[in-house]
């Protein structure tokens, strides 16, 4: 399957990416201590369907929910459930929607209430590393340039754990397309980036080890040393000279700042 898209296809896919941004924004509006993660999933599924889309995660290889909600030491693919959110929790929301034949897939990490400087640094630096990687989503670069940028920023400069067992990917008519985008790599190595490839770039970073294990549910990925983990993801269209980010953090960030239950002091 071709991973090269026409400008028209990219424009259609952008709608799916923006619907993910809008969905995460709805979550940002209601996040607070005392609610279950399942209640967020129910709201999000309704929101996605009301917007003429389907939640791609639900039923994907048997995944039972619309959102992945990964709390604290959970890295990715956490199950929404009876867990009641509390002050200090680190909450990563990752979701995928399918609309007009294209998937959008991105993620954002929130901190509820009071936290520690160490956790807020991890959140900020992981988000910054995403933009360090995105700088390389231009023609003439390779996947290794993206990975190298993320790895050298997070592990090289800050000594954090860079998850290696899960990677970013192309995204389009399929949720996962070529090429894979590891969050580590060597400059000038890996697959060549071509104009109008759409990439899901997604650093998954821990305060400790890069090693992980999976919970008995067969999905939830946890840091092996139980250290806190953060995940940010954008969908980015490869262009000449400057990348085109298809997802939109600005609406999420506005909701994050407006919600007094969320900690946005890491900016
Ligand atoms: N965005 C995640 C990924 O690319 C979520 C996929 S949906 C799930 O892996 F079903 F795997 F959760
Ligand atoms: Co993804």
């Amino acid at each position: 399957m071709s991973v090269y898209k026409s400008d028209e296809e990219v424009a259609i896919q952008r709608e799916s990416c923006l619907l993910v941004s809008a969905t995460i924004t709805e979550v940002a509006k209601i996040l607070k201590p005392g609610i279950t993660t399942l209640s967020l999933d129910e709201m999000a599924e309704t929101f996605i369907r009301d917007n003429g889309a389907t939640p791609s995660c639900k039923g994907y290889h048997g995944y039972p929910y619309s959102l992945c909600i990964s709390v604290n030491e959970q890295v990715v693919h956490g199950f929404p459930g009876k867990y009641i959110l509390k002050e200090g929790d680190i909450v990563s929301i990752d979701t995928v929607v399918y609309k007009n034949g294209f998937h959008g897939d991105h993620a954002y990490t929130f901190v509820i209430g009071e936290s520690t400087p160490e956790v807020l640094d991890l959140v900020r630096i992981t988000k910054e590393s995403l933009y360090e990687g995105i700088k390389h989503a231009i023609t003439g670069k390779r996947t290794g340039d993206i990975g190298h940028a993320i790895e050298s920023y997070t592990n090289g400069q800050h000594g954090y754990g860079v998850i290696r067992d899960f990677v970013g990917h192309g995204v389009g008519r399929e949720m996962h397309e070529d090429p894979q985008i590891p969050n580590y790599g060597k400059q000038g190595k890996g697959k060549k980036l071509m104009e109008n490839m759409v990439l899901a770039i997604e650093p998954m970073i821990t305060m400790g080890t890069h090693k992980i294990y999976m919970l008995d549910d067969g999905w939830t990925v946890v840091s092996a040393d139980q250290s806190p983990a953060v995940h940010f993801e954008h969908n980015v269209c490869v262009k000449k000279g400057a990348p085109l980010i298809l997802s939109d953090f600005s609406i999420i960030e506005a909701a994050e700042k407006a919600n007094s239950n969320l900690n946005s002091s890491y900016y």
Side-chain angles (χ1 to χ4, degrees), residues 205-265:
I205 308 295
T206 81
M207 211 186 278
T209 181
H210 71 275
K211 296 198 185 106
I212 53 107
Y213 66 92
M214 199 168 285
L215 296 187
D216 288 343
D217 61 24
W219 282 97
T220 310
V221 174
V222 180
S223 64
D225 57 2
Q226 310 274 310
S227 62
V230 172
H231 180 208
F232 283 96
E233 176 176 14
H234 259 312
N235 291 150
V236 185
C237 182
V238 175
K239 290 286 180 190
K240 278 197 194 77
L244 174 64
I245 302 179
L246 301 180
S247 34
D248 180 10
F249 278 3
S250 71
I251 57 173
I252 302 171
E253 287 163 349
E256 181 185 36
K257 285 176 185 151
N259 182 342
S260 60
N261 295 298
L262 294 179
N263 192 321
S264 55
S265 66

Side-chain angles (χ1 to χ4, degrees), residues 142-155 161-168 180-187 189-190 201-205 210:
R142 291 176 181 266
T143 54
D145 293 306
I146 297 175
H148 178 266
I150 293 170
E151 182 183 32
S152 54
Y153 194 72
T154 53
N155 181 273
V162 178
I163 302 300
R164 303 176 73 89
D165 293 348
F166 293 85
V167 297
Q180 291 199 344
I181 316 285
N183 294 305
Y184 56 90
K186 291 199 168 68
Q187 286 169 296
K189 301 284 183 197
I201 302 179
E202 47 177 323
M204 292 157 257
I205 308 295
H210 71 275

Side-chain angles (χ1 to χ4, degrees), residues 77 94 96 105-106 167-169 175-176 200 202 231 233 235:
H77 301 165
D94 183 8
V96 190
D105 168 12
H106 80 92
V167 297
H169 51 91
M175 188 197 293
H176 296 129
E202 47 177 323
H231 180 208
E233 176 176 14
N235 291 150

